[in-house]
């Protein structure tokens, strides 16, 4: 197989001063990309800022013969990050929405600040950066975008109401942009990484941190952003050299018939059938929902007013 290369491609990696972002930036540069290394340089809780984190990664890329430029803005000002790409390299081909912080707390103790900061960085940040790149990608007829969710975003997690709901928002954003971008060769995918980093170093022992090096996540991002990759709208779990695709499953369900008034008691009576995955199917898009209703009830939700 030919090596995946990014010569002539401009790659923006947000939060590229540490952890996963740094690993992505180094590898894209090694494969010929011109990289915008964005990092605000704050703490894992979203406090403070510093140019050091981004500068160190840029220096590392340049000393290995690669091309990179630093940007120190918060992703909340995504347009400035994309401006850095356009001013320096005149294109933007790949956006890796990776910057992130944690403000974990049980829902009972969560403050409005904990909630809002998480939304500003993860949701508004990914929106701003991607929105600023979108028009250029459409003009180019090429774009590859990665959104970073989390197992918490896919499944929910104790102490992470803010983070998991923000990460779920990225799932919706990524999958919608996959639909809207497809005809312009702009493909969006969503990844839920598992990686030893400063966000996880206080939880995991040394051997787990080593086994979950960010380097094990990087190949997925490279593959998804390759020029000839046709994967679009996918959701992946990845870490410790494990790569897997996630999908939603729909039970066959129970339709009572629209000629009947359905009571809560009838629903309760058939509860185990409603929740039975024996005859389940992948639930991939809105159309599949409409088709399921059509099949089960016999009405066409795709019909329009004459
Ligand atoms: P990290 O803390 O090592 O790196 C995140 C980087 O983002 C930091 O360098 C930080 O300065 C930067 N950053 C934070 N806020 C920023 C902002 N407003 N603007 C620009 N840069 C900002 O964290 P890690 O583990 O590498 O996480 C990367 C992404 O992966 C995050 O979105 C995180 O939520 C996600 N993730 C990580 C998991 C893990 O196991 N490490 C699990 C699931 C998701």
């Amino acid at each position: 197989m030919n090596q995946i290369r990014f010569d002539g491609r401009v790659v923006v990696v947000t939060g590229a001063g540490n952890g996963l972002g740094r690993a992505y930036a180094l590898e894209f540069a090694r494969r010929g990309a011109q990289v915008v290394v964005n990092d605000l340089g704050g703490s894992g809780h979203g406090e403070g800022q510093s140019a050091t984190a981004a500068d160190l990664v840029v220096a590392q890329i340049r000393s290995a013969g690669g091309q990179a430029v630093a940007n120190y803005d918060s992703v909340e000002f995504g347009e400035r990050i994309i401006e850095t790409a356009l001013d320096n390299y005149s294109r933007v081909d790949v956006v890796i929405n990776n910057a992130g912080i944690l403000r974990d707390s049980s829902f009972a103790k969560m403050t409005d600040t904990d909630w809002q900061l998480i939304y500003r960085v993860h949701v508004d940040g990914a929106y701003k950066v991607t929105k600023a790149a979108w028009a250029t990608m459409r003009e180019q007829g090429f774009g590859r975008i990665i959104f970073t969710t989390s197992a918490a975003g896919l499944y929910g997690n104790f102490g992470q109401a803010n983070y998991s709901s923000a990460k779920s928002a990225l799932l919706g954003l990524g999958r919608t942009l996959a639909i809207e971008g497809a005809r312009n060769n702009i493909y969006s995918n969503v990844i839920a990484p598992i990686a030893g980093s400063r966000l996880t170093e206080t939880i995991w022992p040394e051997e787990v941190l080593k086994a979950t090096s960010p380097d094990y996540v990087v190949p997925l991002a490279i593959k998804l952003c390759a020029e000839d990759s046709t994967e679009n709208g996918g959701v992946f779990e990845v870490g410790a050299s494990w790569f897997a695709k996630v999908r939603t499953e729909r039970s066959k369900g129970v339709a009572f018939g629209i000629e009947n008034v359905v009571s809560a008691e009838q629903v309760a009576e058939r509860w185990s059938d409603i929740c039975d995955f024996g005859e389940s199917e992948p639930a991939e898009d809105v159309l599949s929902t409409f088709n399921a209703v059509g099949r089960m009830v016999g009405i066409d939700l795709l019909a329009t007013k004459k």
Side-chain angles (χ1 to χ4, degrees), residues 25 39 67-68 72 97-99 110 115 117 145 148 173 194 206 216 220 273:
D39 206 287
Q67 299 178 71
Y72 316 114
N97 287 300
N98 165 79
M110 188 168 289
W115 180 268
L117 263 181
I145 305 171
T148 309
L173 178 59
I194 301 161
E206 198 50 45
Y216 290 122
L220 178 64
D273 295 324

Side-chain angles (χ1 to χ4, degrees), residues 14-15 17-21 38-42 44 73-76 98-101 121-122 148-151 163 167 193-200 204:
T14 69
N18 285 290
L20 285 159
N38 157 262
D39 206 287
L40 180 65
D73 287 302
S74 169
V75 282
E76 296 156 89
N98 165 79
I101 55 167
V121 174
H122 291 274
T148 309
T149 187
S150 157
Y163 181 77
K167 288 303 202 188
I194 301 161
S197 76
R198 64 181 196 165
L199 294 187
T200 46
W204 285 333

Side-chain angles (χ1 to χ4, degrees), residues 47-102:
E47 284 129 4
Q49 64 186 88
S50 147
T52 315
D55 283 346
L56 284 173
V57 175
V58 169
Q60 199 177 340
I61 290 173
R62 289 187 181 157
S63 72
Q67 299 178 71
V69 62
N71 171 284
Y72 316 114
D73 287 302
S74 169
V75 282
E76 296 156 89
F77 306 99
E79 65 283 0
R80 297 187 198 154
I81 302 170
I82 299 304
E83 255 168 51
T84 302
L86 297 176
D87 289 351
N88 285 274
Y89 301 129
S90 310
R91 296 180 62 86
V92 54
D93 297 290
V94 173
V95 169
I96 310 285
N97 287 300
N98 165 79
I101 55 167
L102 285 175

Side-chain angles (χ1 to χ4, degrees), residues 28-221:
F28 275 108
R30 208 178 65 75
R31 291 171 181 269
Q34 294 166 308
V35 182
V36 175
V37 175
N38 157 262
D39 206 287
L40 180 65
S43 75
H45 268 73
E47 284 129 4
Q49 64 186 88
S50 147
T52 315
D55 283 346
L56 284 173
V57 175
V58 169
Q60 199 177 340
I61 290 173
R62 289 187 181 157
S63 72
Q67 299 178 71
V69 62
N71 171 284
Y72 316 114
D73 287 302
S74 169
V75 282
E76 296 156 89
F77 306 99
E79 65 283 0
R80 297 187 198 154
I81 302 170
I82 299 304
E83 255 168 51
T84 302
L86 297 176
D87 289 351
N88 285 274
Y89 301 129
S90 310
R91 296 180 62 86
V92 54
D93 297 290
V94 173
V95 169
I96 310 285
N97 287 300
N98 165 79
I101 55 167
L102 285 175
R103 305 274 301 190
D104 289 0
S105 146
S106 68
F107 193 54
K109 293 190 185 138
M110 188 168 289
T111 65
D112 287 352
T113 306
D114 292 331
W115 180 268
Q116 284 154 3
L117 263 181
I118 286 292
Y119 267 74
R120 274 167 46 194
V121 174
H122 291 274
V123 184
D124 298 351
Y127 159 70
K128 285 281 195 166
V129 176
T130 308
K131 176 76 174 158
W134 195 251
T136 306
M137 287 181 168
R138 279 167 54 100
E139 279 159 27
Q140 291 169 176
F142 182 83
R144 297 286 181 268
I145 305 171
I146 301 285
F147 292 93
T148 309
T149 187
S150 157
L154 297 175
Y155 314 116
N157 195 26
F158 189 93
Q160 297 195 306
N162 51 355
Y163 181 77
S164 63
S165 59
K167 288 303 202 188
S168 294
L170 297 178
L171 208 63
L173 178 59
R175 290 180 62 94
T176 295
L177 296 192
I179 295 166
E180 292 194 14
R183 64 177 161 208
N184 291 111
N185 191 16
I186 305 172
Y187 297 158
S188 297
N189 289 283
V190 185
I191 70 173
I194 301 161
S197 76
R198 64 181 196 165
L199 294 187
T200 46
E201 70 188 358
T202 52
I203 311 164
W204 285 333
E206 198 50 45
E207 68 268 22
V208 177
L209 289 173
K210 209 167 144 210
T212 56
S213 158
D215 293 340
Y216 290 122
V217 175
V218 173
L220 178 64

